[in-house]
Amino acid sequence: MLSVEQAESILLNLVYPLQEKLDQEIVGLLTASGRVLAESLVSQLDFPHWDNSAMDGYAVRYEDVANASIDHPQTLEVIEEIPAGYSPQCTVQKGQAARIFTGACVPQGADTIVIQENTERQGNQVKILSAPEPHEFIRAQGAYYKAGEPLLTSGILLDAPEIAVLAAAQCTHIPVYRRLRVGLLSTGDELVTPDEPLKRGQLVDSNQYALATAVANLGAEPIFLGMIRDQREELKNAIAHAIEKADIVVSTGGVSVGDYDYVEEILTELGGTIHIQAVAIKPGKPLTVASFPHCLYFGLPGNPVSALVTFWRFVQPVIKKKSGLLPKFWQPEFVKARLLQGLKGGGKREMYFWGQLQLVKGEYEFQLASGSQISGNLINLAQTTGLGVVPVGQSEVQAGDFVQVLKVR
């Protein structure tokens, strides 16, 4: 049985990010959100595009107002009014000023903005009542970004701020990696769909829906492959179809040691190489991972909590890495958090407990989900944002102590 760290290392070494041109596509601004940028981008625009005013006031020559004060105001002739979006028509000469508004272009000749609170307007003249600093309140062309420099690097996830940058830079054809195809199937004679009548002894297949949501939240494409009965040939055909169709396949159930747990031997028959069969983790010990030339297969436990815990711990970073994200974005994120309740460890296995992670006055706190923490209890998994970890060999952690918590969303 592998340790969690050994299993993680094996998995991440098996995965190579999307890098080939064949794995790229061009999308528009409105469809780029949630995608991974496939190529570093540059813009041919400076930011700001031109010198512009950061405040409402008057554009002046600094040398004309350097000695202005309330007792000795400097009077200037107002030659132009410049609202945002207007191209200045005049050049500010000695003894002149231009009325200007926030975001408007600074006219030729001017090098400083005097805010309107420090002025007094009289017809076509303005009195400067206080000396500004040189170049005050001017946002210089190219101060934020110079044309031709790197704008956004490949391997980042595009979200609202990045889309804003791309739109402002007039990048309308955006190279992104294709969405990973993640096949999902559930195994077991006992399973029914959420809209089927539930008979005594049956279980609703929640795993496929939970995992499809988790996959979609990672920017990948979930592919529903259905519920497969505990019939060996039927299961073999379904798995063979899945590994042909998807980049990653995630099945739940059928990976333990029961009479109807066929997954591992089927994977071997289909030419897969088994890398992981069990991990010292609770919940989620029976975990099967096999590789094929163009697909990685995960066989997760059937219990709903075990399925999600092992997905968050092992499958999620694999999907992120395979999607082309930079390492700092795909590596599991652990934070140190203060426990609000005590936790009991399991000795020989790394224990994971689910609950809510909160940042309080600059310090993380971990609130354990109420109710029983067993793999069959799906109900108290709602609102989970973190998994508290008790290491192997540690029998318990007291309330008030700190533990490592895996952020899951």
Side-chain angles (χ1 to χ4, degrees):
M1 185 163 57
L2 298 173
S3 69
V4 171
E5 290 73 20
Q6 288 172 325
E8 179 185 69
S9 177
I10 290 170
L11 278 170
L12 294 177
N13 285 330
L14 283 172
V15 180
Y16 294 93
L18 297 177
Q19 293 179 331
E20 302 297 328
K21 280 283 187 181
L22 291 175
D23 291 320
Q24 296 182 20
E25 58 188 16
I26 302 297
V27 298
L29 285 167
L30 294 178
T31 55
S33 177
R35 306 299 293 272
V36 178
L37 189 63
E39 295 180 11
S40 296
L41 298 179
V42 299
S43 174
Q44 300 310 310
L45 298 174
D46 289 330
F47 285 83
H49 308 320
W50 42 75
D51 291 356
N52 71 85
S53 177
M55 300 289 283
D56 293 344
Y58 291 85
V60 301
R61 300 183 339 142
Y62 174 73
E63 61 188 278
D64 287 342
V65 297
N67 297 315
S69 68
I70 191 78
D71 295 324
H72 298 90
Q74 178 66 52
T75 300
L76 303 175
E77 178 190 5
V78 180
I79 61 169
E80 187 175 21
E81 183 170 293
I82 310 171
Y86 174 81
S87 180
Q89 303 299 304
C90 300
T91 298
V92 175
Q93 307 285 352
K94 182 178 180 180
Q96 296 179 335
R99 178 70 167 120
I100 196 166
F101 296 90
T102 303
C105 293
V106 177
Q108 292 291 319
D111 58 14
T112 301
I113 304 298
V114 179
I115 59 173
Q116 62 186 24
E117 290 86 348
N118 293 335
T119 66
E120 184 180 296
R121 182 74 178 264
Q122 295 176 339
N124 70 340
Q125 294 186 326
V126 61
K127 288 184 177 181
I128 308 301
L129 307 177
S130 176
E133 295 294 325
H135 310 292
E136 191 168 25
F137 298 119
I138 287 184
R139 297 184 287 219
Q141 179 175 343
Y144 308 152
Y145 170 83
K146 292 190 180 298
E149 293 181 346
L151 181 68
L152 295 177
T153 60
S154 62
I156 64 171
L157 189 68
L158 300 176
D159 205 342
E162 293 76 25
I163 299 300
V165 169
L166 291 170
Q170 296 187 318
C171 296
T172 57
H173 296 79
I174 306 160
V176 297
Y177 289 118
R178 65 174 177 83
R179 294 187 188 276
L180 285 184
R181 297 178 294 272
V182 181
L184 303 170
L185 58 90
S186 302
T187 69
D189 289 338
E190 74 277 15
L191 299 178
V192 297
T193 63
D195 56 356
E196 288 184 73
L198 190 64
K199 297 178 182 178
R200 188 174 180 84
Q202 292 183 323
L203 295 173
V204 177
D205 175 24
S206 61
N207 287 341
Q208 206 162 173
Y209 298 88
L211 296 178
T213 302
V215 166
N217 287 342
L218 295 173
E221 177 189 355
I223 302 172
F224 283 86
L225 299 173
M227 298 182 305
I228 312 302
R229 303 303 170 193
D230 290 324
Q231 303 295 322
R232 202 177 187 288
E233 284 307 306
E234 182 181 345
L235 184 57
K236 184 176 181 179
N237 290 336
I239 291 176
H241 173 68
I243 60 179
E244 287 295 322
K245 192 178 180 72
D247 301 296
I248 295 171
V249 176
V250 181
S251 68
T252 54
V255 293
S256 191
V257 291
D259 292 342
Y260 300 100
D261 296 327
Y262 305 123
V263 170
E264 285 190 12
E265 52 188 77
I266 288 173
L267 292 173
T268 302
E269 288 177 13
L270 292 173
T273 301
I274 305 289
H275 300 274
I276 298 173
Q277 295 175 289
V279 180
I281 184 174
K282 186 176 181 180
K285 174 184 173 183
L287 174 69
T288 297
V289 177
S291 63
F292 294 85
H294 303 292
C295 180
L296 191 62
Y297 189 100
F298 287 87
L300 307 185
N303 277 329
V305 174
S306 299
L308 266 175
V309 168
T310 49
F311 179 90
W312 284 325
R313 185 63 185 90
F314 299 114
V315 186
Q316 183 164 276
V318 164
I319 292 176
K320 288 182 176 182
K321 182 177 181 180
K322 182 70 174 174
S323 296
L325 287 168
L326 293 171
K328 63 181 178 180
F329 298 122
W330 57 251
Q331 291 172 337
E333 184 178 359
F334 286 89
V335 297
K336 187 171 71 172
R338 186 184 299 277
L339 275 176
L340 299 184
Q341 304 101 341
L343 298 177
K344 291 192 178 296
K348 296 181 180 180
R349 287 196 278 170
E350 194 166 285
M351 299 281 288
Y352 284 70
F353 297 86
W354 49 100
Q356 290 79 48
L357 187 64
Q358 301 175 20
L359 191 60
V360 179
K361 296 181 180 179
E363 180 180 88
Y364 278 109
E365 294 180 349
F366 184 64
Q367 173 78 47
L368 196 66
S370 60
S372 58
Q373 293 257 328
I374 60 174
S375 59
N377 182 14
L378 174 63
I379 300 304
N380 69 347
L381 200 64
Q383 298 300 296
T384 292
T385 55
L387 298 174
V389 183
V390 178
V392 173
Q394 189 167 346
S395 59
E396 62 179 329
V397 184
Q398 301 293 329
D401 289 347
F402 284 90
V403 294
Q404 291 295 106
V405 178
L406 174 64
K407 295 176 75 172
V408 298
R409 57 174 174 168

